[in-house]
Amino acid sequence: AEWNALVAQGINPLKRAQTGSTFASVADRYLDKKLQELSSKPSKNAYKHTLGIACDAWGDWPIEKVGRDDVLTLLKREWRPGGKVETYSRLRQRLEGVFSQAIADGLIDGPNPAAWKDNLQHYLPEAPKIMRSDRIAAMHYSEAPAFYQRIREGNSVSHKALEFYMLTIGARIGGTRHLAWEQVYFEQARCISPGKFHKSRKDWPTPLLPRCFEILE
């Protein structure tokens, strides 16, 4: 009777049994695929953390039992001025990916309960308009020369790495920290930062000033 009911909903019970139909099991499948696309540890941890919020709420639920009202109840915990709007906005995007995975697995039919357009946009304010912005104070440009001089006078590896990074506009801090000799082209006065340190996933040529070579030496 249970399987007939699933068939009536357009769900293949054999496929459902093979893939696992709880929210947590679908989230795990989505996460396994997504983590392969990410290179930085902070990004991977962010995905795990945000989806962990949803798994704490619905982990053992059959995913077809999680509806739009449940998604709204979860998001409204922090979707307000002064709340963790940025985190929960990312959670919504990742929930949309999990439910999309469930649709592809044949576990649920559309529409996607976490979709924003023509769905949650009618019940939640736009995140950027209520998001609190705690920006780190920027150094005034007039203070930069004195700051650079203090860094240049330091003798530690950290001082030299920071100075090198400051002189290579367009480079990434990871590329500076992991710079290898074979990435430095003295004749061409440049270095090649590997693509794994850049969002474009492409090797990044960076011109080097004479002072950069002094630091390397």
Side-chain angles (χ1 to χ4, degrees):
E2 179 185 352
W3 281 29
N4 283 332
L6 291 172
V7 171
Q9 299 174 47
I11 299 172
N12 184 332
L14 289 175
K15 192 170 184 180
R16 179 180 186 271
Q18 292 168 358
T19 59
S21 62
T22 64
F23 178 86
S25 63
V26 179
D28 284 343
R29 291 198 294 279
Y30 171 76
L31 193 58
D32 286 343
K33 178 202 67 175
K34 200 65 185 178
L35 293 182
Q36 297 177 43
E37 302 172 2
L38 303 173
S39 57
S40 74
K41 188 174 181 180
S43 295
K44 293 180 179 181
N45 289 338
Y47 262 82
K48 293 176 183 177
H49 169 69
T50 49
L51 286 179
I53 296 172
C55 286
D56 288 343
W58 317 314
D60 295 332
W61 292 22
I63 195 162
E64 66 266 24
K65 299 296 184 182
V66 184
R68 183 181 65 192
D69 289 344
D70 301 302
V71 173
L72 281 170
T73 299
L74 180 64
L75 295 179
K76 283 181 178 179
R77 291 180 185 176
E78 297 289 344
W79 201 293
R80 51 182 167 73
K84 300 175 182 178
V85 183
E86 185 173 3
T87 297
Y88 275 64
S89 176
R90 291 174 178 172
L91 170 59
R92 186 211 62 78
Q93 296 172 14
R94 290 157 192 174
L95 286 176
E96 186 173 1
V98 172
F99 288 113
S100 178
Q101 178 75 53
I103 292 171
D105 287 344
L107 299 176
I108 62 174
D109 296 323
N112 191 313
W116 179 255
K117 187 176 181 181
D118 297 328
N119 187 37
L120 298 184
Q121 69 178 150
H122 298 298
Y123 302 94
L124 296 170
E126 293 184 24
K129 294 183 178 179
I130 61 170
M131 200 178 296
R132 183 177 61 193
S133 178
D134 296 328
R135 296 179 179 176
I136 299 173
M139 179 186 298
H140 194 272
Y141 74 90
S142 64
E143 301 173 12
F147 175 73
Y148 172 77
Q149 189 60 40
R150 291 200 303 273
I151 298 301
R152 180 163 181 166
E153 291 169 356
N155 293 317
S156 70
V157 173
S158 297
H159 279 92
K160 299 306 178 189
L162 179 55
E163 183 186 358
F164 185 90
Y165 173 64
M166 293 169 69
L167 294 172
T168 51
I169 302 300
R172 304 285 288 184
I173 192 66
T176 298
R177 291 177 57 239
H178 298 281
L179 186 68
W181 287 115
E182 58 266 23
Q183 298 164 9
V184 181
Y185 297 84
F186 290 88
E187 300 81 4
Q188 301 173 17
R190 67 174 184 167
C191 65
I192 305 294
S193 182
K196 64 181 179 180
F197 296 115
H198 299 269
K199 291 182 179 179
S200 67
R201 298 296 184 265
K202 297 179 180 179
D203 291 347
W204 194 270
T206 303
L208 298 178
L209 296 170
R211 174 60 184 164
C212 294
F213 292 108
E214 294 177 11
I215 295 171
L216 293 176
E217 291 169 3

